[in-house]
């Protein structure tokens, strides 16, 4: 197996563009790629442009009629069929939508193939993580569910156990739905509570179909949760479940919209805590999945201050060349940010909260604390189904 990491990248993914004023601004992808280059990380990874996902690959997850609807909307955006979630405020149709969505999906599928076949130990597609798309419809800025397609491809190649960990602020509903009745896939999502955020799913009681009880795990975090609570919840649930499940591959989604600056949600997590979870996911892959790690992007709408820094940390960790939080950002990148956006760029790779600290679950819990109540609800719902102590 090659120890080198792959970065999946084709400049054409920046064409995933819902138009002016839409929160999913593709500049976040371009700026991330430029920051990766500014730190010289492009020389530490193998940069690979995988081919777009073809029809047979898309059909591993998506219905044939939905793919046809996406193709039709891509050719004639004005005729998009809203019954499939296309041409809506969240998911406006645009020319070439099918092609670029297939290309992003292809990068995640290519990442999964490379890791499974031993061509790379780690593979990153920060343009991916479009976790809301359903088998038969678009949702939440997501047309094709590249995360689900990557997992489905791993199963097709012979994987018997895959764990998916989603730390986006929104529930990973599309991935959960795709594998709801498949005990080979353990989906774990930490997200803001469905009472206060789209898509209003991801309750702790959602634990999988009868044929796969305990294969879906949801930690619904109170609005306002910050670094200590977020990391406490992650470490109270994720490592124990992964150790028990023993996945052959770990697939993770790193939406940056948990950040306190993100305009679409209500958690209060710092860049430094996001980096800590990225490191934890890397370590869990090595401890329990022979190092096989596919890491994806996701949401994130503070497109200058947060997303490029967060995902550059992700690439650096995957490359084995972690960037220290206090590192000064190259001036060349800061100038490019201003030229592109007329915004001032951040100066360092930290929010000033490193090292981040939290209290481990083994130290005891407070039954009056809302964060601890959320963690306990998840453990009580899932852990007994897997033969673990809640």
């Amino acid at each position: 197996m090659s120890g080198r990491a792959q970065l999946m990248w084709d400049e054409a993914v920046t064409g995933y563009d819902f138009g002016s004023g839409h929160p999913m601004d593709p500049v976040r992808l371009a700026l991330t790629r430029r920051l990766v280059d500014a730190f010289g990380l492009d020389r530490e990874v193998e940069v690979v442009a995988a081919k777009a996902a073809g029809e047979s690959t898309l059909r591993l997850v998506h219905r044939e009629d939905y793919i046809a609807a996406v193709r039709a909307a891509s050719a004639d955006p004005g005729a998009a069929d809203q019954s499939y979630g296309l041409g809506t405020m969240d998911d406006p149709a645009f020319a070439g939508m099918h092609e670029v969505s297939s290309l992003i999906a292809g990068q995640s599928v290519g990442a999964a193939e490379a890791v499974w076949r031993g061509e790379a130990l780690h593979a990153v597609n920060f343009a991916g993580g479009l976790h809301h798309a359903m088998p038969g419809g678009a949702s939440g800025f997501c047309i094709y569910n590249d995360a689900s397609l990557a997992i489905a491809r791993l199963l097709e190649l012979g994987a018997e156990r895959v764990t998916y960990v989603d730390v986006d602020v929104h529930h990973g509903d599309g991935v959960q739905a795709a594998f709801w009745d498949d005990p080979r896939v353990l989906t774990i999502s930490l997200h803001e509570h469905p009472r206060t955020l789209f898509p209003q799913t991801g309750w702790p009681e959602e634990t999988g179909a009868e044929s796969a009880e305990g294969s879906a795990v949801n930690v619904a975090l109170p609005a306002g949760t910050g670094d200590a609570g977020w990391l406490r919840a992650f470490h109270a649930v994720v490592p124990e479940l992964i150790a028990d499940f023993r996945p052959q591959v770990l697939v993770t989604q790193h939406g940056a919209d948990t950040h306190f600056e993100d305009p679409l949600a209500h958690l209060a997590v710092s860049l430094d805590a996001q980096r800590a979870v990225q490191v934890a996911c890397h370590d869990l892959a090595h401890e329990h999945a022979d190092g096989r790690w596919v890491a994806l992007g996701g949401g994130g709408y503070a497109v200058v201050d947060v997303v490029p820094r967060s995902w550059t940390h992700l690439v650096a960790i995957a490359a084995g060349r972690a960037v220290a939080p206090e590192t000064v950002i190259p001036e060349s990148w800061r100038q490019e940010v201003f030229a592109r956006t007329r915004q001032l760029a951040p100066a360092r790779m930290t929010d000033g909260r490193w090292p981040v600290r939290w209290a481990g679950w083994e130290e005891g819990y407070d039954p009056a604390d809302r964060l601890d109540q959320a963690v306990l609800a998840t453990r009580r719902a899932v852990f007994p189904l897997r033969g673990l102590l809640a």
Side-chain angles (χ1 to χ4, degrees):
M1 176 180 291
S2 170
R4 190 162 190 184
Q6 286 190 1
L7 172 61
M8 316 305 296
W9 179 257
D10 185 317
E11 198 72 30
V13 299
T14 60
Y16 192 81
D17 188 353
F18 291 114
S20 177
H22 193 282
M24 186 78 104
D25 188 336
V27 75
R28 69 198 194 120
L29 302 179
L31 290 177
T32 301
R33 182 67 173 91
R34 299 292 90 75
L35 188 56
V36 165
D37 290 355
F39 278 114
L41 294 170
D42 56 321
R43 298 189 295 273
E44 304 293 336
V45 296
E46 182 185 2
V47 180
V48 176
K51 65 181 182 180
E55 184 90 11
S56 62
T57 298
L58 293 173
R59 287 175 62 182
L60 291 174
V61 168
H62 293 290
R63 294 200 319 250
E64 188 174 4
D65 60 313
Y66 172 58
I67 299 169
V70 176
R71 285 184 181 276
S74 185
D76 183 3
D81 188 341
Q82 292 197 4
S83 70
Y84 289 102
L86 302 168
T88 63
M89 185 175 295
D90 273 3
D91 298 286
F94 60 92
M97 180 172 63
H98 165 77
E99 288 75 15
V100 71
S101 299
S102 299
L103 183 62
I104 290 173
Q107 305 314 303
S108 292
V109 170
E113 291 174 342
V115 167
W116 181 254
R117 292 169 175 163
E119 296 162 7
L121 193 58
H122 310 324
V124 180
N125 176 26
F126 58 74
L130 304 178
H131 59 168
H132 294 307
M134 292 291 174
S139 178
F141 314 162
C142 304
I143 306 301
Y144 292 138
N145 196 316
D146 63 283
S148 293
L149 289 164
I151 295 167
R153 179 61 175 144
L154 287 168
L155 299 177
E156 187 178 50
L157 290 171
E160 297 173 346
R161 295 179 310 281
V162 179
T163 295
Y164 172 75
V165 177
D166 187 319
V167 296
D168 192 289
V169 79
H170 301 92
H171 177 226
D173 57 339
V175 185
Q176 176 178 286
F179 303 104
W180 182 250
D181 59 358
D182 193 335
R184 297 174 297 174
V185 182
L186 174 66
T187 64
I188 308 173
S189 178
L190 284 81
H191 47 266
E192 185 179 327
H193 201 287
R195 272 197 295 263
T196 55
L197 194 65
F198 173 89
Q200 283 78 52
T201 57
W203 298 78
E205 296 78 17
E206 297 171 29
T207 58
E210 188 175 345
S211 60
E213 283 190 329
S215 66
V217 183
N218 290 288
V219 187
L221 301 168
T225 297
D227 289 359
W230 194 61
L231 291 167
R232 175 171 168 81
F234 179 93
H235 287 282
V237 173
V238 177
E240 192 171 350
L241 288 171
I242 290 179
D244 171 70
F245 191 67
R246 297 178 298 109
Q248 293 160 297
V249 185
L250 180 62
V251 180
T252 58
Q253 195 268 21
H254 297 271
D257 43 9
T258 52
H259 196 272
F260 55 77
E261 286 187 21
D262 199 90
L264 300 190
H266 318 98
L267 295 192
V269 173
S270 72
L271 179 76
D272 299 297
Q274 291 177 347
R275 181 185 185 278
V277 160
Q278 294 166 4
V279 170
C281 288
H282 169 271
D283 293 349
L284 287 166
H286 280 275
E287 290 164 16
H288 303 293
D290 293 326
R292 296 188 192 93
W293 183 32
V294 176
L296 309 174
Y301 309 101
V303 298
V304 169
D305 283 355
V306 178
V307 174
R309 292 189 296 162
S310 186
W311 293 347
T312 297
H313 274 306
L314 181 65
V315 173
I317 290 161
R321 296 290 186 270
V323 174
E326 65 274 13
T327 303
V328 173
I329 291 173
E331 182 61 25
S332 61
W333 184 80
R334 300 183 74 233
Q335 290 176 359
E336 182 169 358
V337 166
F338 188 77
R340 281 178 176 257
T341 69
R342 289 296 183 262
Q343 295 184 47
L344 295 177
R348 295 179 182 271
M349 293 292 286
T350 179
D351 285 332
R353 298 187 181 182
W354 189 268
V356 288
R357 305 188 188 282
W358 72 93
W361 191 251
E362 66 280 359
E363 297 177 26
Y365 65 91
D366 179 357
D369 182 81
R370 291 171 63 224
L371 185 281
D372 282 7
Q373 289 170 2
V375 171
L376 192 58
T378 299
R379 291 179 63 98
R380 284 176 170 168
V382 175
F383 277 44
L385 296 175
R386 304 210 64 88
L388 302 172
L389 294 175

